[in-house]
Amino acid sequence: MSSFTRRIEIRGLKARGYARTPYRIVKDVMGRERPVRVPRGGLILGPEPALTPIGYRWPRVLDLRRAAAS
């Protein structure tokens, strides 16, 4: 997939309510998870009502369609 089509796909995900935060979740010295601000990347949040974290990479639209169909 070319970068242009991937950018269009990500734009569509944003229109559906997905979002990216400027934070990553990292364990500190005590072993507790805490958010750390990063210049690039960050945590991807699911659609609007729940805003649950889904990972650090944008999901593929085809994978989302397969998951919804099953």
Side-chain angles (χ1 to χ4, degrees):
M1 179 179 281
S2 73
S3 62
F4 177 72
T5 54
R6 184 66 179 144
R7 285 186 306 195
I8 297 299
E9 192 175 90
I10 291 171
R11 188 177 292 172
L13 288 172
K14 289 179 180 178
R16 289 185 187 121
Y18 286 81
R20 180 190 293 272
T21 65
Y23 297 98
R24 272 192 183 270
I25 304 298
V26 191
K27 288 193 177 190
D28 62 1
V29 176
M30 302 294 283
R32 288 178 279 170
E33 294 180 343
R34 63 186 193 89
V36 174
R37 192 165 178 86
V38 292
R40 281 183 68 109
L43 196 59
I44 306 292
L45 302 176
E48 274 296 314
L51 289 177
T52 56
I54 58 173
Y56 292 103
R57 295 194 178 269
W58 290 101
R60 296 273 184 200
V61 172
L62 287 175
D63 296 337
L64 294 173
R65 288 182 186 152
R66 285 182 194 140
S70 61

